[in-house]
Coordinates of all heavy atoms in Angstrom, one line a residue:
M1 N 40.2 44.3 -23.2 CA 39.2 43.9 -24.2 C 39.2 42.3 -24.1 O 40.2 41.6 -24.1 CB 39.5 44.3 -25.5 CG 39.6 45.9 -25.6 SD 40.1 46.6 -27.2 CE 41.8 46.2 -27.1
Q2 N 38.0 41.8 -23.9 CA 37.9 40.4 -23.7 C 36.7 39.8 -24.5 O 35.9 40.4 -24.9 CB 37.4 40.1 -22.2 CG 38.6 40.0 -21.3 CD 38.3 39.3 -19.9 OE1 37.1 39.5 -19.5 NE2 39.3 38.7 -19.3
I3 N 37.0 38.5 -24.7 CA 36.0 37.7 -25.5 C 35.7 36.6 -24.6 O 36.5 35.9 -23.9 CB 36.7 37.0 -26.8 CG1 37.0 38.1 -27.8 CG2 35.6 35.9 -27.4 CD1 35.9 38.6 -28.6
E4 N 34.4 36.3 -24.4 CA 33.8 35.1 -23.7 C 33.7 33.9 -24.7 O 32.9 34.1 -25.6 CB 32.7 35.3 -23.0 CG 32.2 34.2 -22.1 CD 30.9 34.5 -21.3 OE1 30.4 35.7 -21.3 OE2 30.5 33.6 -20.7
I5 N 34.3 32.8 -24.4 CA 34.0 31.7 -25.2 C 33.0 30.8 -24.3 O 33.4 30.2 -23.3 CB 35.2 30.8 -25.5 CG1 36.4 31.7 -26.1 CG2 35.0 29.6 -26.5 CD1 36.1 32.2 -27.4
K6 N 31.8 30.6 -24.8 CA 30.8 29.9 -24.0 C 30.7 28.6 -24.6 O 30.1 28.5 -25.8 CB 29.6 30.6 -24.0 CG 28.5 30.3 -23.1 CD 27.3 31.0 -23.2 CE 27.4 32.2 -22.2 NZ 26.0 32.9 -22.1
G7 N 30.9 27.4 -23.9 CA 30.6 26.1 -24.5 C 29.3 25.7 -24.1 O 29.0 25.5 -22.9
M8 N 28.5 25.5 -25.0 CA 27.1 25.2 -24.9 C 26.9 23.8 -24.4 O 25.9 23.5 -23.6 CB 26.2 25.5 -26.2 CG 26.4 26.9 -26.7 SD 26.3 28.1 -25.5 CE 24.5 28.2 -25.2
A9 N 27.7 22.8 -24.8 CA 27.7 21.4 -24.3 C 28.0 21.3 -22.9 O 27.4 20.6 -22.0 CB 28.4 20.5 -25.3
S10 N 29.1 21.9 -22.4 CA 29.6 21.9 -21.2 C 29.0 22.9 -20.1 O 29.2 22.7 -19.0 CB 31.2 22.1 -21.2 OG 31.5 23.4 -21.4
G11 N 28.6 24.0 -20.8 CA 28.1 25.0 -19.7 C 29.3 25.8 -19.2 O 29.0 26.7 -18.3
H12 N 30.4 25.6 -19.7 CA 31.5 26.4 -19.1 C 31.9 27.6 -20.0 O 31.7 27.4 -21.3 CB 32.8 25.4 -19.0 CG 32.7 24.4 -18.0 ND1 32.6 24.6 -16.7 CD2 32.5 23.1 -18.1 CE1 32.4 23.4 -16.0 NE2 32.3 22.5 -16.9
S13 N 32.5 28.6 -19.4 CA 33.0 29.7 -20.2 C 34.5 29.9 -19.9 O 34.9 29.6 -18.8 CB 32.3 31.0 -19.7 OG 30.9 31.0 -20.3
L14 N 35.1 30.4 -21.0 CA 36.4 30.8 -20.9 C 36.7 32.4 -21.3 O 36.0 32.6 -22.3 CB 37.3 29.9 -21.8 CG 38.7 30.1 -22.1 CD1 39.4 29.7 -20.7 CD2 39.2 29.1 -23.1
F15 N 37.4 33.1 -20.7 CA 37.6 34.5 -21.0 C 39.0 34.7 -21.6 O 39.9 34.4 -21.0 CB 37.4 35.3 -19.8 CG 35.9 35.3 -19.4 CD1 35.4 34.3 -18.4 CD2 34.9 36.2 -19.8 CE1 34.2 34.3 -18.0 CE2 33.8 36.1 -19.4 CZ 33.3 35.2 -18.6
L16 N 39.0 35.3 -22.8 CA 40.4 35.6 -23.4 C 40.4 36.9 -23.8 O 39.5 37.7 -24.3 CB 40.4 34.7 -24.8 CG 40.3 33.1 -24.6 CD1 40.2 32.5 -25.9 CD2 41.6 32.6 -23.9
S17 N 41.7 37.6 -23.6 CA 41.9 38.8 -23.9 C 42.4 39.0 -25.6 O 43.0 37.9 -25.9 CB 43.1 39.5 -23.2 OG 42.6 39.4 -21.8
Y18 N 42.2 40.1 -26.1 CA 42.7 40.3 -27.5 C 43.2 41.6 -27.5 O 43.0 42.5 -26.8 CB 41.6 40.1 -28.5 CG 40.5 41.0 -28.4 CD1 40.5 42.2 -29.1 CD2 39.3 40.8 -27.7 CE1 39.5 43.2 -29.1 CE2 38.3 41.7 -27.6 CZ 38.4 42.9 -28.1 OH 37.2 43.8 -28.2
L19 N 44.2 41.8 -28.5 CA 44.9 43.1 -28.7 C 44.4 43.7 -29.9 O 43.8 43.0 -30.8 CB 46.5 42.8 -29.0 CG 47.2 42.1 -27.8 CD1 48.6 41.8 -28.2 CD2 47.2 43.0 -26.5
E20 N 44.4 45.0 -30.0 CA 43.8 45.8 -31.1 C 44.2 45.2 -32.4 O 43.3 45.0 -33.3 CB 44.1 47.2 -30.9 CG 43.3 48.2 -31.8 CD 41.9 48.3 -31.6 OE1 41.6 48.0 -30.4 OE2 41.0 48.5 -32.4
H21 N 45.3 44.8 -32.6 CA 45.9 44.5 -33.9 C 45.2 43.1 -34.4 O 45.2 42.8 -35.5 CB 47.4 44.5 -34.1 CG 48.1 43.4 -33.3 ND1 48.5 43.5 -32.1 CD2 48.5 42.1 -33.8 CE1 49.0 42.4 -31.7 NE2 49.1 41.6 -32.7
E22 N 44.9 42.3 -33.3 CA 44.3 41.0 -33.6 C 42.9 41.0 -34.2 O 42.4 40.0 -34.7 CB 44.3 40.2 -32.3 CG 45.7 39.9 -31.8 CD 45.7 39.0 -30.4 OE1 45.0 39.5 -29.5 OE2 46.2 37.9 -30.4
K23 N 42.2 42.3 -34.2 CA 41.0 42.3 -34.7 C 40.9 42.1 -36.1 O 39.9 41.9 -36.7 CB 40.3 43.7 -34.3 CG 40.1 43.8 -32.8 CD 39.7 45.2 -32.3 CE 38.4 45.7 -32.7 NZ 38.1 46.9 -32.2
K24 N 41.9 42.3 -36.9 CA 42.1 42.0 -38.3 C 42.1 40.6 -38.7 O 41.8 40.1 -39.8 CB 43.2 42.8 -39.0 CG 43.3 44.2 -38.8 CD 42.1 44.9 -39.4 CE 42.0 46.4 -39.2 NZ 40.7 47.0 -39.6
L25 N 42.3 39.7 -37.7 CA 42.3 38.3 -38.0 C 41.0 37.7 -38.2 O 40.0 38.0 -37.5 CB 43.0 37.5 -36.7 CG 44.5 37.9 -36.5 CD1 44.9 37.3 -35.1 CD2 45.5 37.4 -37.5
L26 N 41.0 36.5 -39.0 CA 39.8 35.8 -39.0 C 39.6 35.1 -37.7 O 40.4 34.7 -37.1 CB 40.0 34.6 -40.1 CG 39.8 35.0 -41.6 CD1 40.1 33.7 -42.4 CD2 38.5 35.6 -41.9
L27 N 38.3 35.0 -37.3 CA 37.9 34.6 -36.1 C 38.5 33.2 -35.9 O 39.0 32.7 -34.8 CB 36.4 34.6 -35.8 CG 35.9 34.3 -34.4 CD1 36.5 35.3 -33.4 CD2 34.4 34.7 -34.5
L28 N 38.3 32.3 -36.9 CA 38.9 30.9 -37.0 C 40.3 30.9 -36.6 O 40.7 30.2 -35.7 CB 38.6 30.4 -38.3 CG 39.2 28.9 -38.4 CD1 38.4 28.0 -37.5 CD2 39.0 28.4 -40.0
D29 N 41.2 31.9 -37.2 CA 42.5 31.8 -36.9 C 42.9 32.4 -35.5 O 43.8 31.7 -34.9 CB 43.3 32.7 -37.9 CG 43.3 32.1 -39.3 OD1 43.0 30.9 -39.5 OD2 43.3 32.9 -40.4
W30 N 42.0 33.2 -35.0 CA 42.3 33.8 -33.7 C 42.0 32.8 -32.7 O 42.8 32.5 -31.8 CB 41.4 35.1 -33.5 CG 41.6 35.8 -32.1 CD1 42.8 36.5 -31.9 CD2 40.9 35.5 -31.1 NE1 42.5 36.9 -30.5 CE2 41.5 36.3 -30.0 CE3 39.6 34.9 -30.7 CZ2 41.0 36.4 -28.7 CZ3 39.2 35.0 -29.4 CH2 39.8 35.7 -28.5
L31 N 40.9 32.1 -32.9 CA 40.5 31.0 -31.9 C 41.5 29.8 -31.9 O 42.0 29.3 -30.9 CB 39.2 30.4 -32.3 CG 38.0 31.2 -32.0 CD1 36.7 30.8 -32.7 CD2 37.8 31.5 -30.5
R32 N 42.2 29.5 -33.1 CA 43.2 28.5 -33.2 C 44.4 29.0 -32.5 O 45.0 28.2 -31.7 CB 43.5 28.2 -34.7 CG 42.4 27.4 -35.3 CD 42.8 27.1 -36.8 NE 42.0 26.2 -37.4 CZ 42.0 26.0 -38.7 NH1 42.7 26.6 -39.6 NH2 41.2 25.0 -39.2
D33 N 44.8 30.3 -32.6 CA 45.9 30.9 -32.0 C 45.8 30.7 -30.4 O 46.8 30.6 -29.7 CB 46.1 32.3 -32.3 CG 46.7 32.5 -33.8 OD1 47.1 31.4 -34.4 OD2 46.8 33.7 -34.2
K34 N 44.5 30.8 -30.1 CA 44.3 30.8 -28.6 C 44.0 29.3 -28.1 O 43.7 29.1 -26.9 CB 43.1 31.6 -28.2 CG 43.2 33.0 -28.7 CD 44.2 33.8 -27.8 CE 44.2 35.2 -28.0 NZ 45.4 35.9 -27.4
K35 N 44.4 28.4 -28.9 CA 44.2 27.0 -28.6 C 42.7 26.5 -28.3 O 42.6 25.5 -27.6 CB 45.0 26.6 -27.4 CG 46.5 27.0 -27.6 CD 47.3 26.4 -28.6 CE 48.6 26.7 -28.8 NZ 49.2 26.9 -30.1
I36 N 41.7 27.2 -28.9 CA 40.4 26.7 -28.8 C 40.2 25.7 -29.9 O 40.5 25.9 -31.1 CB 39.4 27.9 -29.0 CG1 39.6 29.0 -28.0 CG2 37.9 27.5 -29.0 CD1 39.5 28.6 -26.5
P37 N 39.7 24.6 -29.6 CA 39.5 23.4 -30.5 C 38.3 23.6 -31.5 O 37.4 22.9 -31.3 CB 39.5 22.2 -29.7 CG 38.8 22.7 -28.4 CD 39.3 24.1 -28.3
I38 N 38.5 24.6 -32.3 CA 37.4 24.9 -33.3 C 37.4 23.9 -34.5 O 38.5 23.6 -35.0 CB 37.5 26.3 -33.8 CG1 36.2 26.9 -34.5 CG2 38.7 26.5 -34.5 CD1 35.1 27.3 -33.6
A39 N 36.2 23.2 -34.7 CA 36.2 22.3 -35.7 C 36.3 22.8 -37.2 O 35.8 24.0 -37.5 CB 34.9 21.6 -35.7
S40 N 36.9 22.2 -38.0 CA 37.0 22.6 -39.5 C 37.5 21.3 -40.2 O 38.5 20.7 -39.9 CB 38.0 23.7 -39.6 OG 38.4 23.8 -41.0
S41 N 36.8 21.1 -41.4 CA 37.4 20.0 -42.2 C 37.7 20.6 -43.5 O 38.3 19.9 -44.5 CB 36.5 18.7 -42.4 OG 35.2 19.1 -42.9
C42 N 37.3 21.9 -43.9 CA 37.7 22.4 -45.1 C 38.8 23.5 -45.0 O 39.1 24.2 -46.0 CB 36.5 23.0 -45.7 SG 35.9 24.6 -45.0
D43 N 39.3 23.6 -43.8 CA 40.5 24.6 -43.6 C 40.2 26.0 -44.0 O 40.9 26.7 -44.6 CB 41.7 24.1 -44.1 CG 42.9 24.5 -43.5 OD1 42.8 24.9 -42.3 OD2 44.0 24.8 -44.2
G44 N 38.9 26.4 -43.6 CA 38.6 27.8 -43.8 C 38.0 28.2 -45.1 O 38.0 29.4 -45.5
K45 N 37.5 27.3 -46.0 CA 37.1 27.6 -47.3 C 35.7 27.9 -47.3 O 35.1 28.1 -48.4 CB 37.4 26.5 -48.2 CG 39.0 26.3 -48.5 CD 39.2 25.1 -49.5 CE 40.8 25.1 -49.8 NZ 41.6 24.5 -48.7
G46 N 34.9 27.8 -46.2 CA 33.5 28.1 -46.0 C 32.7 27.0 -46.7 O 31.4 27.3 -47.0
V47 N 33.1 25.8 -46.7 CA 32.4 24.7 -47.3 C 31.8 23.8 -46.2 O 30.6 23.4 -46.3 CB 33.3 23.8 -48.2 CG1 32.6 22.6 -48.7 CG2 33.9 24.7 -49.5
C48 N 32.6 23.3 -45.1 CA 32.1 22.4 -44.3 C 31.2 22.9 -43.2 O 30.4 22.0 -42.8 CB 33.3 21.7 -43.5 SG 34.1 22.8 -42.3
K49 N 31.2 24.1 -42.9 CA 30.3 24.7 -41.9 C 30.3 24.3 -40.5 O 29.7 24.4 -39.7 CB 28.8 24.4 -42.4 CG 28.4 24.7 -43.9 CD 28.4 26.1 -44.2 CE 28.0 26.3 -45.6 NZ 28.7 27.5 -46.3
K50 N 31.6 23.5 -40.3 CA 31.8 22.9 -38.9 C 32.2 24.0 -38.0 O 32.3 23.8 -36.8 CB 32.9 21.8 -39.0 CG 32.3 20.5 -39.8 CD 33.2 19.5 -39.8 CE 32.6 18.3 -40.4 NZ 33.5 17.1 -40.4
C51 N 32.8 25.1 -38.5 CA 33.4 26.2 -37.7 C 32.3 27.2 -37.2 O 32.6 28.2 -36.6 CB 34.4 26.9 -38.4 SG 33.8 28.0 -39.9
G52 N 31.2 26.7 -37.3 CA 30.1 27.7 -37.0 C 29.8 28.0 -35.5 O 30.1 27.1 -34.8
I53 N 29.3 29.3 -35.2 CA 28.9 29.6 -33.9 C 27.6 30.1 -34.0 O 26.7 29.7 -34.9 CB 29.9 30.8 -33.4 CG1 30.0 32.0 -34.3 CG2 31.5 30.2 -33.3 CD1 30.9 33.2 -33.9
Q54 N 27.2 30.9 -32.9 CA 25.7 31.3 -32.9 C 25.3 32.1 -34.1 O 26.1 32.5 -34.8 CB 25.4 32.1 -31.6 CG 26.1 33.5 -31.6 CD 27.4 33.6 -31.1 OE1 28.2 32.6 -31.0 NE2 27.7 34.7 -30.4
N55 N 24.0 32.1 -34.4 CA 23.4 32.6 -35.5 C 23.8 32.2 -36.8 O 23.7 32.8 -37.9 CB 23.7 34.2 -35.5 CG 23.2 34.8 -34.2 OD1 21.9 34.4 -33.6 ND2 23.9 35.7 -33.5
G56 N 24.4 31.0 -36.9 CA 24.8 30.4 -38.2 C 26.1 31.2 -38.7 O 26.5 30.8 -39.9
W57 N 26.7 32.0 -38.0 CA 28.0 32.7 -38.5 C 29.1 31.6 -38.6 O 29.2 30.6 -37.7 CB 28.4 33.7 -37.5 CG 27.3 34.9 -37.3 CD1 26.4 35.2 -38.3 CD2 27.1 35.6 -36.2 NE1 25.6 36.3 -37.9 CE2 26.1 36.5 -36.5 CE3 27.8 35.8 -34.9 CZ2 25.6 37.4 -35.6 CZ3 27.4 36.7 -34.0 CH2 26.3 37.6 -34.4
L58 N 29.9 31.8 -39.6 CA 31.0 30.9 -39.7 C 32.4 31.7 -39.2 O 32.6 32.7 -39.8 CB 31.2 30.5 -41.2 CG 30.1 29.6 -41.7 CD1 30.3 29.4 -43.3 CD2 29.9 28.4 -40.9
T59 N 33.2 31.0 -38.5 CA 34.3 31.8 -38.0 C 35.3 32.0 -39.1 O 36.3 32.8 -38.9 CB 34.9 31.0 -36.8 OG1 35.2 29.7 -37.3 CG2 34.1 31.0 -35.6
C60 N 35.3 31.2 -40.1 CA 36.2 31.5 -41.3 C 35.8 32.6 -42.2 O 36.5 32.9 -43.2 CB 36.5 30.2 -42.0 SG 35.1 29.5 -43.0
E61 N 34.6 33.0 -41.9 CA 34.2 34.2 -42.8 C 34.1 35.4 -42.1 O 33.6 36.5 -42.6 CB 32.7 33.9 -43.3 CG 32.8 32.7 -44.4 CD 31.5 32.3 -44.9 OE1 30.4 32.8 -44.5 OE2 31.6 31.5 -45.9
L62 N 34.4 35.6 -40.8 CA 34.4 36.9 -40.0 C 35.7 37.2 -39.4 O 36.4 36.3 -38.8 CB 33.4 36.5 -38.7 CG 32.0 36.3 -38.9 CD1 31.4 36.0 -37.5 CD2 31.4 37.6 -39.4
T63 N 36.1 38.4 -39.5 CA 37.2 38.9 -38.7 C 36.7 39.1 -37.3 O 35.5 39.1 -37.1 CB 37.8 40.1 -39.2 OG1 36.8 41.1 -39.2 CG2 38.2 40.0 -40.7
L64 N 37.7 39.0 -36.4 CA 37.2 39.5 -35.1 C 36.6 40.9 -34.9 O 35.6 40.9 -34.3 CB 38.5 39.4 -34.1 CG 38.4 39.6 -32.7 CD1 37.4 38.7 -31.9 CD2 39.7 39.6 -32.0
E65 N 37.0 41.7 -35.7 CA 36.4 43.0 -35.7 C 34.9 43.1 -36.1 O 34.0 43.7 -35.6 CB 37.2 43.9 -36.7 CG 36.8 45.3 -36.7 CD 37.6 46.2 -37.6 OE1 38.1 45.8 -38.6 OE2 38.0 47.3 -37.1
I66 N 34.6 42.3 -37.2 CA 33.3 42.1 -37.8 C 32.4 41.5 -36.7 O 31.3 41.7 -36.5 CB 33.2 41.6 -39.1 CG1 33.8 42.6 -40.1 CG2 31.8 41.2 -39.5 CD1 34.1 41.9 -41.5
F67 N 33.0 40.4 -36.2 CA 32.2 39.6 -35.2 C 31.8 40.6 -33.9 O 30.7 40.6 -33.6 CB 33.1 38.5 -34.5 CG 32.5 37.9 -33.3 CD1 31.3 37.1 -33.4 CD2 33.0 38.2 -32.1 CE1 30.8 36.6 -32.3 CE2 32.4 37.8 -30.9 CZ 31.4 36.9 -31.0
L68 N 32.8 41.5 -33.6 CA 32.4 42.3 -32.4 C 31.4 43.4 -32.8 O 30.7 44.0 -31.9 CB 33.8 43.0 -31.9 CG 34.5 42.1 -31.2 CD1 36.0 42.6 -31.0 CD2 34.2 41.8 -29.8
Q69 N 31.4 43.7 -34.1 CA 30.4 44.7 -34.5 C 29.0 44.1 -34.5 O 27.9 44.7 -34.1 CB 30.6 45.1 -35.9 CG 31.8 46.1 -36.1 CD 32.3 46.3 -37.5 OE1 31.7 45.8 -38.4 NE2 33.4 47.1 -37.7
R70 N 28.9 42.8 -34.8 CA 27.7 42.0 -34.8 C 27.3 41.6 -33.3 O 26.1 41.6 -33.1 CB 27.9 40.7 -35.6 CG 28.0 41.0 -37.1 CD 27.9 39.8 -37.9 NE 28.1 39.9 -39.2 CZ 28.1 38.9 -40.1 NH1 28.0 37.7 -39.7 NH2 28.3 39.3 -41.5
Q71 N 28.3 41.3 -32.5 CA 28.1 40.8 -31.1 C 28.9 41.7 -30.2 O 30.0 41.2 -29.7 CB 28.5 39.4 -31.0 CG 28.1 38.6 -29.9 CD 26.8 38.2 -29.8 OE1 26.2 37.8 -30.8 NE2 26.2 38.2 -28.6
P72 N 28.4 42.9 -29.9 CA 29.3 43.8 -29.1 C 29.6 43.3 -27.7 O 30.6 43.7 -27.1 CB 28.4 45.0 -29.0 CG 27.5 45.0 -30.1 CD 27.3 43.5 -30.3
D73 N 28.9 42.4 -27.1 CA 29.3 41.9 -25.8 C 30.3 41.0 -25.9 O 30.9 40.3 -24.9 CB 27.9 41.2 -25.1 CG 27.5 40.0 -25.7 OD1 28.0 39.5 -26.9 OD2 26.5 39.4 -25.3
G74 N 30.8 40.4 -27.1 CA 31.9 39.6 -27.4 C 31.8 38.0 -26.8 O 32.8 37.5 -26.6
V75 N 30.6 37.6 -26.8 CA 30.4 36.2 -26.4 C 30.2 35.5 -27.7 O 29.4 35.6 -28.5 CB 29.0 36.1 -25.7 CG1 28.8 34.7 -25.2 CG2 29.0 37.0 -24.3
I76 N 31.1 34.5 -27.8 CA 31.1 33.4 -28.8 C 30.5 32.1 -28.2 O 30.9 31.6 -27.2 CB 32.5 33.0 -29.4 CG1 33.2 34.4 -29.9 CG2 32.4 32.0 -30.3 CD1 34.6 34.2 -30.3
E77 N 29.6 31.6 -28.8 CA 28.8 30.4 -28.4 C 29.2 29.3 -29.3 O 28.8 29.4 -30.6 CB 27.3 30.6 -28.3 CG 26.8 31.6 -27.3 CD 25.3 31.9 -27.5 OE1 24.6 31.3 -28.3 OE2 24.9 32.7 -26.6
I78 N 29.8 28.2 -28.8 CA 30.2 27.1 -29.5 C 29.4 25.8 -29.0 O 29.6 25.5 -27.9 CB 31.8 26.8 -29.4 CG1 32.3 28.2 -30.0 CG2 32.1 25.7 -30.3 CD1 34.0 28.0 -29.9
S79 N 28.6 25.2 -30.0 CA 27.6 24.2 -29.5 C 28.3 23.0 -28.9 O 27.8 22.5 -28.0 CB 26.7 23.8 -30.6 OG 27.4 23.4 -31.7
Y80 N 29.4 22.6 -29.5 CA 30.0 21.3 -29.1 C 31.1 21.4 -28.1 O 31.7 20.3 -27.6 CB 30.7 20.6 -30.4 CG 31.6 21.5 -31.2 CD1 32.9 21.5 -30.9 CD2 31.1 22.2 -32.2 CE1 33.8 22.4 -31.5 CE2 31.9 23.0 -33.0 CZ 33.2 23.2 -32.6 OH 34.1 23.8 -33.4
L81 N 31.4 22.5 -27.5 CA 32.4 22.6 -26.5 C 31.7 22.6 -25.1 O 30.6 23.0 -25.0 CB 33.1 23.9 -26.7 CG 34.1 24.0 -27.7 CD1 34.9 25.3 -27.8 CD2 35.0 22.9 -27.9
Ligands
FES101 S1 36.2 25.9 -41.8 FE1 34.7 24.9 -43.0 S2 33.1 26.3 -43.2 FE2 34.6 27.4 -41.9

């Protein structure tokens, strides 16, 4: 099971694997665990909006599981990467 991290600024993609139990993690925490430099100045309180990805989704408000329900192809688009 893989997630594609697509950097919209660089045009580069990175592919990361996830384990079933990791689907319960917030996407923000999972990305940080994988050393993806996701922006945040409110530390996941849903205020700064810097952790946003495509469709205006906030990674601090989605688990990996909910993200995959919304985006079954597992592609995360990050504008500043
Ligand atoms: S980390 Fe600030 S809104 Fe998500």
Side-chain angles (χ1 to χ4, degrees):
M1 297 174 289
Q2 274 197 331
I3 295 285
E4 178 180 0
I5 311 292
K6 192 181 271 188
M8 303 311 286
S10 67
H12 295 288
S13 285
L14 176 67
F15 294 87
L16 300 171
S17 298
Y18 62 90
L19 300 172
E20 191 63 29
H21 73 272
E22 292 178 305
K23 289 167 73 175
K24 299 295 180 195
L25 294 173
L26 279 178
L27 193 51
L28 177 66
D29 294 335
W30 184 79
L31 289 166
R32 286 176 168 171
D33 287 352
K34 300 295 183 184
K35 310 297 184 213
I36 301 299
I38 192 84
S40 163
S41 61
C42 74
D43 203 26
K45 294 183 176 70
V47 176
C48 72
K49 314 295 185 206
K50 292 183 177 179
C51 67
I53 55 174
Q54 70 266 31
N55 302 320
W57 298 333
L58 298 177
T59 59
C60 68
E61 293 182 344
L62 292 175
T63 62
L64 183 54
E65 184 171 43
I66 291 172
F67 168 75
L68 288 167
Q69 288 169 1
R70 292 184 184 181
Q71 187 79 36
D73 64 2
V75 177
I76 297 176
E77 297 174 357
I78 302 178
S79 62
Y80 53 84
L81 292 183

